[in-house]
Amino acid sequence: MCGILAVFGCIDNSQAKRSRIIELSRRLRHRGPDWSGLHCHGNCYLAHQRLAIVDPASGDQPLYNEDKTVIVTVNGEIYNHKQLREKLKSHQFRTGSDCEVIAHLYEEHGEEFVDMLDGMFSFVLLDTKDNSYIAARDAIGVTPLYMGWGLDGSIWFASEMKALSDDCERFISFPPGHIYSSKQGGLRRWYNPPWFLEQTPSSSYDPIVLRKAFEKAVFKRLMTDVPFGVLLSGGLDSSLVAAVACRYLAESEAACQWGSQLHTFCIGLESSPDLKAAREVADYLGTRHHEFHFTVQEGIDALEEVIYHIETYDVTTIRASTPMFLMSRKIKSLGVKMVLSGEGSDEIFGGYLYFHKAPNKEEFHQETCQKIKALHLYDCLRANKSTSAWGVEARVPFLDKEFINIAMSIDPEWKMIRPDLGRIEKWVLRNAFDDVQKPYLPKHILYRQKEQFSDGVGYSWIDGLKDHANKQVTDAMLTHASFIYPENTPTTKEAYCYRTIFEKFFPKNAARSTVPGGPSVACSTAKAVEWDAAWSKNLDPSGRAALGIHSAAYEEAVDAKNKSSLSGSPKKLQGVGEKASAVV
């Protein structure tokens, strides 16, 4: 990952303004510690903090066309850049950077080239011939981008909120799959896949097609000139990423530089579910596995720094970001700069445990569509910013454009959880990789029940966070929360605690409006809470809150109060999840 900052239409273009832009860009240096660049043209500034992954020697930014009339600053990776270069043979390339194709594609096609890009990206491009500019963000929002407006009429773009929040009167999270054009004066959607309309698809399920699409998505993300690895929790998604990467690593160019043994990384509290499962998968695949431990107190001590970097007060995101943040620091200390991760699968296939209660395939599909559309505010934000805090890039093969289109065209009847047919959550994905002749994973790993990352690192992590919040926030503070925080009012002490830290770093109204709100159970949308009346009494984003589904589900609130004196740990409940697991 890199950090970009661009400002257009400044009234002041003095040396002091240039110094201010450099100062603000420096706030993004954690994202790109390898080099800094700045291009000024009149009242326009394009700044860049580089994390060198492809072509470390010559790919410094900003990047240019042949006569330097087109300037572009980019955060991301363009996986099909070699194919695009083949179509641009009349152009002269200055670097081996995958992102340089953007400047030349603009010359060839004007603003209508973004859908040609296969990758994750946020970029800003200036055409000095007419002083017009565009900004665009990838289809799902894997890379972050913010857009702001200054009182002097200037327009700002930045990878993170911290680079523009002080100097903009208003700012927003730039919507994924959109382009901003100064010529047209507004945002428009460039990404318009069939699933976006949320109409129920009817295509049949072909496990081989699905498998090959995912293998292709993983393989293209092995494009790197630096050491890399896979984040391995031992759950289905990360294990499949690791299994496919292991199978095809030897065929990649990366293997020529870094060898054919994959590095995998896992973090958790001592004896956590993830550590055990990840170790087993790593042994099975023969990876060079790195296991990191942290304590609840170490996680709590990091909360302020985590919230500063991830720029949210969403409870689920903070719970999961903290161990990922700590792990990324360890990974960087080993000299690794790029990792593959398993985000996006649960949204595409209905993997969260609350999907067990989906009343029909139409609502199941609509919920998956809504979850994918919101990923840039949750899991994409977490995966990107938690790793970028330490100069590590996270790539997410499940969010490959082609793979999503195939997966979202499947009739959702196939995705529905059907214990009577032996189908647990994400059965279509599990089945696609259930190869008897040449197994990708052991059966019990392939059919392991869903653990959200914040749960899997150790259940006492969430319990410890709640205990910490109870000590920091009084009953009176929570009672009066609606007066202190009238927008997105925190409803728990944990949420209140995180909100207080967030407001310290980002006090403006515009900042708090970039964070979504609303009731949720086990990461559901507010609409899905209606699927089970009991959930409204237990609104917690942990997977254990899906009462009667998770094998370590919370007890209902009344029972928990009655039995709190007997045990502080969640009681194991017999439920749908256990029955489904037993069938497979």
Side-chain angles (χ1 to χ4, degrees), residues 410-426:
I410 298 171
D411 186 332
E413 185 65 42
W414 288 96
K415 297 181 182 179
M416 293 280 285
I417 292 105
R418 293 286 303 275
D420 57 316
L421 299 178
R423 295 182 191 170
I424 63 172
E425 64 275 359
K426 293 188 287 195

Side-chain angles (χ1 to χ4, degrees), residues 260-272:
S260 57
Q261 186 180 28
L262 185 70
H263 288 255
T264 51
F265 309 95
C266 185
I267 192 168
L269 304 177
E270 289 284 355
S271 303
S272 72

Side-chain angles (χ1 to χ4, degrees), residues 16 73 87 120 147 182 196 201 216 219 223 227 231 282 444 470 495 549 552:
T73 180
K87 300 176 182 178
M120 56 176 186
M147 179 180 183
S182 65
F196 208 83
K216 183 179 177 181
F219 184 75
M223 178 186 80
L231 304 184
H444 63 282
N470 285 336
I549 294 172

Side-chain angles (χ1 to χ4, degrees), residues 464-480:
L465 287 173
K466 291 181 176 181
D467 290 343
H468 171 72
N470 285 336
K471 295 172 185 175
Q472 303 298 313
V473 181
T474 67
D475 292 342
M477 291 165 69
L478 188 61
T479 300
H480 300 135

